[in-house]
Amino acid sequence: GAVVSQHPSWVICKSGTSVKIECRSLDFQATTMFWYRQFPKQSLMLMATSNEGSKATYEQGVEKDKFLINHASLTLSTLTVTSAHPEDSSFYICSATERDYNEQFFGPGTRLTVL
Amino acid sequence: GQNIDQPTEMTATEGAIVQINCTYQTSGFNGLFWYQQHAGEAPTFLSYNVLDGLEEKGRFSSFLSRSKGYSYLLLKELQMKDSASYLCAALDSNYQLIWGAGTKLIIKP
């Protein structure tokens, strides 16, 4: 149980385009979903926390107008990177928790390359 | 401020035992996690400790001392597939995970 999927697994896009990444909890209801970014050889950096039906809480330094997060249901959250630039190229990982918050279940990640 | 410290890199021999230490300073504490992350993949859950003591799970064990703000992950009978980064993360009073930078473990034959 507790499976989280992400789609797409990898994406290559041109600078200036927008990219949407989906995160789904397949067999549980995710009251909270987290979006992380990880650059090579660095640890996970939390970008934002989203609760179903409410606006996401962004970490300091993360532009909410550039990284749009929608958590419309208990099983789906989306991250849209708007007007992507090469410096946005990274590994984006989502995770989800059930009601007790104790364990985060991670998706497999999405590798974004912006040319 | 909140902080997690763990060694950057460790090397061990196949079949041996290795202990990866982690110290933490957080605003409140609701438990400590260890995750394994292979290169290019997302982290996978290894253990969760919230009470003092040792939790054993197969070849992997995790220890916590809340009074010392200290945890370790113990890996026994090392296998080549254990080569990965091991991430320590503490859950603070707001139930937010504070992540360490990870320890890259290199296993040699």
Side-chain angles (χ1 to χ4, degrees):
Chain A
V3 178
V4 176
S5 70
Q6 263 184 260
H7 178 80
S9 300
W10 56 270
V11 58
I12 301 173
C13 67
K14 292 182 179 180
S15 185
T17 60
S18 294
V19 176
K20 180 185 281 189
I21 302 170
E22 291 187 352
C23 177
R24 292 181 184 272
S25 58
L26 299 184
D27 52 2
F28 66 100
Q29 292 187 328
T31 52
T32 304
M33 285 185 167
F34 303 86
W35 286 96
Y36 292 89
R37 182 168 50 182
Q38 187 176 36
F39 292 106
K41 298 185 180 181
Q42 295 186 23
S43 189
L44 300 172
M45 292 173 48
L46 181 64
M47 299 176 66
T49 303
S50 73
N51 294 296
E52 183 263 341
S54 61
K55 289 184 178 180
T57 301
Y58 290 81
E59 295 300 300
Q60 195 171 9
V62 178
E63 300 174 57
K64 63 180 180 181
D65 294 330
K66 180 171 181 63
F67 299 99
L68 302 178
I69 292 172
N70 183 278
H71 192 166
S73 77
L74 285 172
T75 59
L76 174 65
S77 177
T78 60
L79 166 68
T80 302
V81 183
T82 62
S83 187
H85 291 285
E87 58 264 31
D88 298 325
S89 298
S90 188
F91 192 43
Y92 291 86
I93 308 171
C94 75
S95 69
T97 62
E98 293 186 86
R99 199 173 305 277
D100 64 6
Y101 288 91
N102 279 352
E103 181 179 347
Q104 291 187 23
F105 302 100
F106 285 87
T110 297
R111 187 161 301 282
L112 171 64
T113 301
V114 184
L115 303 176
Chain B
Q2 307 201 94
N3 191 50
I4 305 284
D5 284 318
Q6 56 181 128
T8 304
E9 187 174 296
M10 298 182 71
T11 302
T13 305
E14 190 177 15
I17 299 173
V18 70
Q19 176 174 313
I20 304 174
N21 296 322
C22 170
T23 58
Y24 63 89
Q25 291 176 306
T26 55
S27 301
F29 179 74
N30 281 298
L32 189 124
F33 292 86
W34 284 96
Y35 284 86
Q36 180 190 61
Q37 185 178 27
H38 286 99
E41 299 180 10
T44 55
F45 171 81
L46 289 178
S47 67
Y48 170 69
N49 295 66
V50 68
L51 300 176
D52 286 352
L54 185 68
E55 296 270 350
E56 296 186 71
K57 192 184 293 185
R59 295 190 298 114
F60 293 4
S61 302
S62 56
F63 171 84
L64 177 67
S65 169
R66 295 178 65 133
S67 61
K68 295 181 180 179
Y70 166 71
S71 173
Y72 68 73
L73 180 69
L74 190 72
L75 293 77
K76 303 176 185 176
E77 301 170 16
L78 287 170
Q79 302 175 9
M80 298 302 293
K81 67 179 183 179
D82 297 330
S83 293
S85 286
Y86 291 85
L87 307 175
C88 171
L91 201 62
D92 71 8
S93 57
N94 294 320
Y95 290 96
Q96 179 165 315
L97 270 180
I98 311 301
W99 291 89
T103 298
K104 183 179 180 181
L105 178 62
I106 300 169
I107 309 295
K108 295 185 175 180

